[in-house]
Amino acid sequence: MKYLWIALAAGGLVAGCGVENKTENPQQVAETAAPSVMLNTKVSAPVAKKVPHEMTAHGVTRNDNYYWMRDDSRTDEEILSHLDQENSYVETVLAPLKKNREALYEELVSRIEKDDSTVPVLDNGYWYYTSYSGENEYPIYLRKSSLDAEPQVLLDANRMSEGHDYFSIGSYAVSSNNKLLAYSEDTLSRRIYTVYVKSLESEEKLDDVLEGTSGSVVWANDNTHLFYVKKDPQTLLGYQVYRHKLGTSQSEDVLVYEESDPTFYTYISKSKDDSVIYIHHDNTEKTGVTLIDANNPTSQTKVFLPIEDGQEYSVAKASDGYFVLTNIGAKNFRVMKAPLGATNDVSKWQEVIAHRPDVFLQSIEVMNNHLVVKEKENGMLRLVVHNLTTNEEKVIPTQDPIYGAYFNANPEMDTNKLRIYYSSLTTPGSIIDINLDTLESEVMKQTRVSDTFDSSLYASERVMIEARDGTSVPVSLVYRKDKFKKDGTNPLYQYAYGSYGSTVDPTFRSSWLSLIDRGFVVAIAHIRGGQMLGREWYEDGKMHQKINTFTDFIDVSKGLVAKQYADKDRVFAMGGSAGGLLMGAIVNMAPELYQGVSAHVPFVDVVTTMSDASIPLTTGEYTEWGNPANKAEFDYMLSYSPYDQIEAKDYPHMLVTTGLHDSQVQYFEPMKWVAKLREYKTDDNLLLFKTDMEAGHGGASGRFKRFESTALEYAFVLHLAGVPL
């Protein structure tokens, strides 16, 4: 329910800068100043009614006065009215910042290239890319038979979005004969997609419509059958894999796999050589793969390797077997090779890259003659090329000591080129092609920030902060050289996630320039619960060790102040989804440290949500947080659950946001949390709650519109920091 925030944390916050400001440029504003305007704080905040609702488990009775705020249909007029009142309260209180918000929005979106396109990718004889133009919010998906040919429009999301408050294309797939396109769309932001099929010759839609899907669709090689995952409409778990034959009704589709264990997520993909369709079974502590012959789609499925507790693996097919990234006998993973006919017998696998306790293997990319491994040692990333013919190993050189890099659109097997997305805290996102034999690289595209952006004006560094238990926590920092004094006067904006083993790499976020150019130090705290320092780093921040995630974040804040990276009176924290849980925990545990906290789509009602299997995605989270049916896990979750641990005390200024149609963290969690905070808190600090009535977990769907919420947050932060525009 919280996992997919990463897409927003890493992407939705990447916004822009570069328009005129009230000062000649933001670099010249005073680092410390009194707020330039007074907010409308005399207006009364909405007060929610209290309706006692008792819940008893393991001898503990909890009374939830705001349980009534849950409405799965999202039609209750009283609830919708209260959300509208909260939104009106935000606009009334922040009315004096209206011009600031507008200026920040223009600044943010000015960093988005209005006429832009992705680097074309060759796949099965066609070059595929997306294009944006002018003020259009959405992309156009295109392909060419050659780079100098006229493009064919596959999908125009701008036209398709007309009449919808929210619109998203989940994915699309072209049939093996290049004549048919299957694609999925969501018009509600609940991440339940409808799949359609169109002819790429006549441009006509076929009658085939597949409803209630996860959005992914994979073609069999007969150009007649396609596979998709159906979601449970209540829990929103994808759990059934169906085979659909073109020209037939969805009611006739064949169920090829059904997941009976509600702790698993199910999704599908296809091997790079197009010979195998994968059904992926994903639990936070064990994984598995089931195979479908793409050339014989009606044949029986085959289990790659039976799932076992604590055993994880992912596969990449080669011509003579499968490369397997696995933790079998290797806590930080190793790479093995499974023969085609003996995937279910580990004793017949061959080791390709041995386990090294101090090196975490994160992912692999396979071509015919090369294996590329993304690995980390002490949290420092490197990409290692293994020549499968000569057995040579080479590290791909990079320009930054700390950076993020991701394998990007490598659909071809018979190639010696690797495409990556590369970025650092000072280097904008770049698409780079690398010759795997020579390691020569070519920058195919670098994201434009503005005509005046100069990366040499900025600096990033990695520091280690000692946590209270003696553990050293890595922190990535970025600041503007001429604004940073390291004397304890710079305001700090600290971000983290810290769950599911998801690692937030130090990559460029152009939206942060709106803070950095005004004197902020921005920090990414690589706290336990992620995998920055390997698998153990994750395990030390989940289940009965979850408290380490929160104390790490708090100790990083204290450490950065002690090292004079930050002004102790101007420390700001931000997190979303599971990172919103983090925000809820730190304001309960150490509210005095933070002047302001931004909590986006926050997962804060841990015990109640995890106790209700009908709430979307709950059961898939038992191995992350625990199952409240077990007393020890119930007690531990209760000890940190932000909603349950609210006390009568002072809290920092807070901005809380959500989406009414959120499929990951239901809107009523932050709604209840804010209501209870208002009831208990003893301060006069701001508590603002903004609900996007059309959006879900990822916020607004348009490429410009989504930055309205970022502008709101930054206006809030800059005002509290006393930094004028």
Side-chain angles (χ1 to χ4, degrees), residues 60 71 79 115 204 207 260 272 306 353 371 413 423 427 437 457 518 526 563 588 598 635 679 723:
V60 177
D71 171 32
I79 292 172
D115 297 319
E204 296 296 321
D207 292 334
S260 59
K272 192 181 291 190
I353 300 175
L371 167 68
M413 288 290 292
S423 174
T427 304
D437 294 316
L457 298 176
R518 293 177 170 90
H526 304 292
K563 291 178 178 291
N588 283 334
S598 302
D635 290 342
E679 178 186 352
V723 177

Side-chain angles (χ1 to χ4, degrees), residues 123-126 128 143 173-182 200 218-225 270-271 273-275 277 294-295:
D123 188 11
N124 194 27
Y126 282 84
Y128 291 85
R143 73 174 182 178
V174 177
S175 60
S176 299
N177 63 5
N178 288 316
K179 295 180 179 180
L180 296 167
L181 176 73
L200 293 176
V218 176
W219 285 97
N221 294 337
D222 63 359
N223 307 299
T224 300
H225 291 91
K270 198 174 186 182
S271 63
D273 69 358
D274 289 327
S275 67
I277 296 167
N295 293 308

Side-chain angles (χ1 to χ4, degrees), residues 289-291 302-306 313 315 322 324 338 343-345 349:
V289 175
T290 297
L291 308 177
K302 176 187 174 184
V303 174
F304 185 92
L305 179 71
Y313 68 90
V315 304
Y322 292 86
V324 186
T343 65
N344 61 355
D345 186 352
W349 295 6

Side-chain angles (χ1 to χ4, degrees), residues 527-542:
I527 53 183
R528 280 174 279 189
Q531 289 187 118
M532 180 58 78
L533 297 184
R535 188 65 178 183
E536 190 171 350
W537 200 245
Y538 170 40
E539 294 174 353
D540 283 350
K542 64 181 293 193

Side-chain angles (χ1 to χ4, degrees), residues 649-714:
K649 62 184 177 186
D650 287 358
Y651 283 86
H653 297 279
M654 296 175 65
L655 171 65
V656 183
T657 65
T658 192
L660 179 63
H661 300 288
D662 197 327
S663 59
Q664 310 299 105
V665 179
Q666 307 302 302
Y667 75 90
F668 47 81
E669 289 201 40
M671 185 182 184
K672 291 165 53 178
W673 185 46
V674 168
K676 189 173 180 181
L677 280 167
R678 286 230 176 89
E679 178 186 352
Y680 278 80
K681 74 189 194 82
T682 56
D683 58 83
D684 293 323
N685 291 332
L686 295 173
L687 176 55
L688 304 174
F689 178 42
K690 177 76 170 178
T691 301
D692 189 323
M693 304 299 281
E694 280 83 44
H697 200 61
S701 55
R703 61 170 176 155
F704 300 119
K705 184 175 174 58
R706 69 182 56 195
F707 293 113
E708 292 176 0
S709 62
T710 308
L712 168 66
E713 182 195 351
Y714 288 2

Side-chain angles (χ1 to χ4, degrees), residues 120 125-127 129 143-152:
Y126 282 84
W127 294 89
Y129 65 106
R143 73 174 182 178
K144 296 180 178 181
S145 57
S146 65
L147 287 176
D148 56 358
E150 283 296 311
Q152 176 186 13

Side-chain angles (χ1 to χ4, degrees), residues 56-242:
T56 301
H58 306 295
V60 177
T61 297
R62 296 177 298 132
N63 180 46
D64 185 354
N65 288 324
Y66 304 105
Y67 189 87
W68 66 270
M69 291 178 168
R70 175 180 175 178
D71 171 32
D72 291 350
S73 72
R74 289 157 172 76
T75 59
D76 186 291
E77 291 298 330
E78 185 176 10
I79 292 172
L80 296 176
S81 175
H82 188 83
L83 292 174
D84 286 336
Q85 290 174 46
E86 289 282 7
N87 285 348
S88 295
Y89 176 69
V90 171
E91 297 306 321
T92 301
V93 171
L94 297 185
L97 296 182
K98 184 175 185 293
K99 290 185 178 179
N100 287 12
R101 287 169 62 181
E102 291 172 349
L104 283 165
Y105 174 78
E106 293 300 325
E107 179 176 302
L108 290 162
V109 300
S110 73
R111 299 190 191 111
I112 300 174
E113 192 77 36
K114 290 189 175 182
D115 297 319
D116 196 13
S117 62
T118 61
V119 180
V121 175
L122 179 63
D123 188 11
N124 194 27
Y126 282 84
W127 294 89
Y128 291 85
Y129 65 106
T130 59
S131 176
Y132 289 91
S133 63
E135 301 298 325
N136 286 337
E137 291 276 9
Y138 299 99
I140 300 174
Y141 298 82
L142 307 109
R143 73 174 182 178
K144 296 180 178 181
S145 57
S146 65
L147 287 176
D148 56 358
E150 283 296 311
Q152 176 186 13
V153 174
L154 303 176
L155 299 167
D156 184 346
N158 299 288
R159 179 185 58 78
M160 297 164 68
S161 68
E162 291 175 1
H164 299 293
D165 293 320
Y166 177 93
F167 182 80
S168 174
I169 291 177
S171 67
Y172 73 90
V174 177
S175 60
S176 299
N177 63 5
N178 288 316
K179 295 180 179 180
L180 296 167
L181 176 73
Y183 63 95
S184 61
E185 60 181 53
D186 171 19
T187 58
L188 187 61
S189 192
R190 289 287 282 170
R191 294 181 179 171
I192 299 179
Y193 294 84
T194 300
V195 174
Y196 301 94
V197 182
K198 64 180 283 190
S199 166
L200 293 176
E201 295 178 318
S202 68
E203 300 295 327
E204 296 296 321
K205 264 189 180 182
L206 278 64
D207 292 334
D208 304 77
V209 177
L210 309 176
E211 298 179 329
T213 84
S214 67
S216 297
V217 59
V218 176
W219 285 97
N221 294 337
D222 63 359
N223 307 299
T224 300
H225 291 91
L226 50 83
F227 293 81
Y228 64 94
V229 179
K230 197 165 187 180
K231 282 191 168 185
D232 183 297
Q234 176 62 37
T235 67
L236 301 187
L237 277 172
Y239 73 111
Q240 293 175 321
V241 179
Y242 278 92

